[in-house]
Amino acid sequence: MRIVIAEDDALLREGLTLLLTARGFDLVAAVPTPEEFLAVVAEHRPDVAVVDVRMPPTFTDEGIRAAVQARRMHPPLAVLVLSAYVEESFAADLLADGVGGIGYLLKERVGRVQEFLDALHRVVAGGTAIDPEVVAQLFTRRRAVDGLRPLSPREREVLALMAEGLGNTAIAERLFVTDKAVHKHIRSIFLKLGLHPDDQSDRRVAAVLRYLDSRPAVLTQPSHDSAPAHAPARTSRPGG
């Protein structure tokens, strides 16, 4: 697996570099700016990019815009976005092609090494890996009217776990139901959302996109008590 890191925080960038190389990954570059990121993607054609949301010069959405551009340049590229904040509005752009290979983790999740590595493998395999904190906050900010109104409460639970990137068996274990029941719920979700089989998109990814895109934009800092003690410290810069 060939990896590129785009992260302007030197401490976190170095920490990711050490973690990934120690685990035997082929890290081809670790860069601090969107421009350098696009250049190394064009040169090395990596399998996956780990990208910060907020990068120079304005520390707003440069990382997201660079990731979208990189996917256009190199469509097989998987992207795992890291952010200090819950900002799900990125999904509409990154998931718009419906092909998957997208993840979004809060930076505190990097300190939970196995969860981070699992998410990395999941997006490289073409799936999605949405941080559980993001999914939880989306549920607490539900609109009175949204595109998911046809779904039952159980179907919404199943779709939320799909957004985290869980497969059918893992969803069944989480909900204490059978694989057959999960399969039935997912078929119903596809039917109610009008997602029919075709050769152009992955229906699981399309359903996750519908789930994320049906929510109002959120900009919330994660709770301070949820970060692991060994997670890299953040500077006071405006990035995230």
Side-chain angles (χ1 to χ4, degrees):
M1 185 189 302
R2 291 162 53 78
I3 302 176
V4 166
I5 296 171
E7 167 60 61
D8 65 290
D9 185 300
L11 181 61
L12 183 54
R13 187 172 66 249
E14 182 64 20
L16 287 168
T17 297
L18 292 173
L19 169 63
L20 293 172
T21 53
R23 294 300 180 107
F25 292 97
D26 182 6
L27 182 63
V28 298
V31 297
T33 68
E35 294 78 14
E36 291 171 286
F37 165 60
L38 292 173
V40 296
V41 168
E43 178 182 357
H44 296 287
R45 301 286 176 172
D47 301 304
V48 60
V50 179
V51 183
D52 187 9
V53 170
R54 299 182 172 195
M55 299 184 72
T58 69
F59 297 98
T60 54
D61 64 348
E62 283 88 350
I64 291 297
R65 289 190 282 111
V68 171
Q69 186 175 343
R71 293 257 287 188
R72 289 173 183 156
M73 288 185 340
H74 181 45
L77 180 69
V79 174
L80 180 57
V81 173
L82 299 180
S83 176
Y85 304 91
V86 176
E87 296 174 282
E88 83 279 5
S89 58
F90 83 94
D93 286 334
L94 280 178
L95 282 170
D97 56 15
V99 298
I102 293 294
Y104 176 29
L105 297 182
L106 295 179
K107 287 186 174 181
E108 65 185 56
R109 196 73 55 184
V110 178
R112 304 168 192 179
V113 174
Q114 194 55 53
E115 290 183 40
F116 170 67
L117 296 177
D118 287 346
L120 196 61
H121 284 290
R122 197 177 299 145
V123 299
V124 171
T128 58
I130 310 299
D131 197 291
E133 180 72 12
V134 177
V135 174
Q137 292 201 28
L138 291 178
F139 265 123
T140 64
R141 289 164 172 79
R142 189 176 313 281
R143 289 176 179 175
V145 177
D146 63 40
L148 304 181
R149 289 187 68 184
L151 303 188
S152 69
R154 175 62 89 184
E155 288 165 351
R156 288 174 183 247
E157 287 184 286
V158 170
L159 183 52
L161 294 173
M162 288 168 60
E164 290 184 29
L166 301 185
N168 289 12
T169 299
I171 292 173
E173 292 173 352
R174 185 77 65 89
L175 298 178
F176 302 102
V177 298
T178 65
D179 281 11
K180 184 176 179 180
V182 171
H183 183 67
K184 180 180 178 181
H185 287 312
I186 292 175
R187 281 192 304 171
S188 179
I189 290 168
F190 292 157
L191 179 64
K192 290 180 179 179
L193 296 183
L195 299 173
H196 305 293
D198 59 51
D199 296 328
Q200 303 302 315
S201 65
D202 183 319
R203 287 193 294 172
R204 292 180 80 98
V205 173
V208 168
L209 174 58
R210 190 78 60 85
Y211 171 72
L212 294 173
D213 201 32
S214 68
R215 299 291 180 265
V218 177
L219 178 54
T220 302
Q221 286 184 298
S223 57
H224 296 294
D225 59 358
S226 61
H230 57 284
R234 299 291 294 158
T235 66
S236 59
R237 66 175 180 82

